[in-house]
Amino acid sequence: MTLYDLVAPGLDTCAEPRYRITEIRDADPLGADALLAALPAMNRDADVPALTVALRTLVPDLDRVSEWCVIEALAAMRDLGMLLGSLKRHGVQPVAAVPEVLPVLEELARRTDMVPRDTVHHYTTWNPLGHRQRMYTGDEMEAHLQEAVRMVFPSLVAALDTCGQLAGLEPYDPGFALALDRTAQHVQAMVDAIDFTIANVSPSYFARTLRPYFEEVDVAGRDYLGPAAAQVPLWLVDLTVWQCDRPHPGYDTFLDESVEYSLPSWRAFHATHRGGVSAVSKLSAALSWETVHQLPPQLLASAHSLAQVLRILKTFRARHIGIARKAYSDEVRLYDEGSGGAPVALLRSVLDLTRDNETLVRQATERPRPSAA
């Protein structure tokens, strides 16, 4: 039994249609099951004419699109997106090759309130399982990579809820440490997922075989990134824990460019909290007012819980860098940047920032304090 099996049933009952994962997976509004089962063979043969015909065959009438609910529209974008990425991997701009897809992509974007192409959520979480699973290559390692991302979706949803609670609390509140403890449990899923990836997906397979399918695609004169792991927004956890009031030019630019690929409610979360006060800053301020040698128990608990979250974030990022360095080494890489548009150097910077914040919190509780006068 996976983490998804434990958490997903609760998501499927949500009013938010983008969380109704089983319904989206089951949906096949384009009747694409049989055609996409043949996609790995088309890609293996670099059969651009067949891929072009396949995309043209799947493009629906706009009248049909206008009748679809969000769930059907998400499933349609998922399936069209597999052909967008495949054509671009073989050197063809898909919208130029099949112009009639453009108004459909724009209408699907409008109906789902997302970008006008597929994202990592379409490719992983909303992707059917078993014989209906959509894949570019059909390789077992591709399936493992999709599963690794799929594993974290329920936990990330839960983490955003606890981070939202955290933003309204102060370190002296009992709920502050509790919200952090729950966040730590949820974020641990990211570490589990990257460990699963390390064990089951080779860096060379990702870099040389799968990465080319995640290239950006031109839609109405603008480039949109493919389904990138960077679109799984761990940075939304960073936001309330330490990032919202501790700017870094490179990371800030990356976030501004990444946020549009998120779900609408996640973009709203970012807009709400980007100008707030982080948990690290709140704790630092509270600690600065304490002059007694022994910190109040609740403040100490908050500090320990915050340090634990930062430690888990640090662990994830250290392991992520290990993978990225191998996948983008001179001997292996086909690209200078990750599929999310970030160079490995930025990953290093974010790891350093996470480590610096963890050290700040840990040392603040360890520093000797004078007795009260």
Side-chain angles (χ1 to χ4, degrees):
M1 178 175 290
T2 66
L3 177 65
Y4 174 82
D5 296 321
L6 293 172
V7 183
L11 292 183
D12 282 335
T13 63
C14 288
E16 164 60 84
R18 296 159 193 83
Y19 291 171
R20 286 154 62 183
I21 297 168
T22 300
E23 293 179 52
I24 301 169
R25 289 177 179 172
D26 289 345
D28 184 19
L30 302 179
D33 280 359
L35 190 154
L36 291 180
L39 183 61
M42 296 183 214
N43 281 323
R44 183 188 61 240
D45 298 337
D47 193 342
V48 170
L51 290 168
T52 304
V53 170
L55 178 57
R56 187 172 289 120
T57 299
L58 287 189
V59 174
D61 294 333
L62 276 176
D63 289 343
R64 285 180 60 203
V65 178
S66 66
E67 296 174 355
W68 286 340
C69 65
V70 170
I71 288 170
E72 293 167 316
L74 291 170
M77 184 66 88
R78 172 197 68 208
D79 293 345
L80 291 173
M82 295 300 298
L83 290 162
L84 300 182
S86 296
L87 279 167
K88 182 61 190 296
R89 184 263 176 271
H90 299 297
V92 175
Q93 281 288 357
V95 176
V98 185
E100 58 266 37
V101 77
L102 175 59
V104 172
L105 296 177
E106 292 175 329
E107 179 63 13
L108 289 174
R110 188 187 69 79
R111 297 191 69 78
T112 62
D113 193 14
M114 296 184 71
V115 294
R117 75 158 299 182
D118 56 321
T119 68
V120 73
H121 307 295
H122 298 83
Y123 177 61
T124 60
T125 304
W126 298 329
N127 197 331
L129 304 178
H131 71 279
R132 295 183 59 233
Q133 185 163 338
R134 281 75 162 117
M135 287 193 281
Y136 296 114
T137 70
D139 192 285
E140 186 178 28
M141 281 193 278
E142 180 178 5
H144 287 320
L145 188 67
Q146 290 174 314
E147 176 62 20
V149 179
R150 192 181 291 124
M151 286 168 61
V152 307
F153 188 89
S155 293
L156 188 58
V157 171
L160 297 188
D161 183 55
T162 55
C163 284
Q165 297 170 20
L166 178 67
L169 297 168
E170 296 296 330
Y172 289 100
D173 296 329
F176 191 89
L178 180 60
L180 285 165
D181 290 341
R182 288 175 175 169
T183 300
Q185 293 174 1
H186 302 319
V187 174
Q188 179 62 39
M190 296 291 291
V191 178
D192 297 340
I194 206 157
D195 287 344
F196 179 85
T197 301
I198 291 169
N200 292 285
V201 183
S202 74
S204 61
Y205 169 78
F206 175 80
R208 303 194 68 85
T209 301
L210 198 55
R211 169 69 176 82
Y213 290 98
F214 303 148
E215 274 290 84
E216 55 194 21
V217 165
D218 182 298
V219 180
R222 180 178 171 189
D223 286 336
Y224 289 91
L225 297 171
Q231 295 165 10
V232 181
L234 185 60
W235 43 264
L236 286 177
V237 176
D238 289 340
L239 187 70
T240 50
V241 172
W242 65 267
Q243 191 271 333
C244 62
D245 54 3
R246 293 167 182 269
H248 176 275
Y251 195 30
D252 294 349
T253 299
F254 170 75
L255 296 186
D256 289 342
E257 294 171 353
S258 297
V259 68
E260 67 175 328
Y261 294 91
S262 289
L263 308 188
S265 60
W266 297 4
R267 300 199 305 269
F269 182 97
H270 179 263
T272 297
H273 297 292
R274 66 181 304 177
V277 181
S278 69
V280 169
S281 292
K282 290 178 181 179
L283 183 70
S284 297
L287 291 171
S288 71
W289 283 97
E290 290 292 338
T291 58
V292 296
H293 179 71
Q294 183 67 39
L295 290 174
Q298 189 55 59
L299 191 56
L300 192 60
S302 292
H304 288 160
S305 296
L306 181 53
Q308 173 66 4
V309 172
L310 289 163
R311 190 156 42 249
I312 295 171
L313 293 172
K314 180 186 69 175
T315 299
F316 167 79
R317 293 201 159 101
R319 294 179 188 174
H320 186 200
I321 282 181
I323 296 176
R325 282 177 172 162
K326 293 176 181 177
Y328 292 95
S329 65
D330 291 341
E331 300 79 16
V332 173
R333 71 181 181 194
L334 299 177
Y335 303 91
D336 292 329
E337 295 183 342
S339 51
V344 175
L346 179 59
L347 301 181
R348 175 80 246 180
S349 295
V350 178
L351 172 60
D352 289 342
L353 290 167
T354 307
R355 181 180 289 118
D356 290 346
N357 279 282
E358 183 212 5
T359 301
L360 175 69
V361 171
R362 178 169 44 79
Q363 290 181 344
T365 61
E366 295 172 352
R367 187 172 65 244
R369 296 174 181 277
S371 299

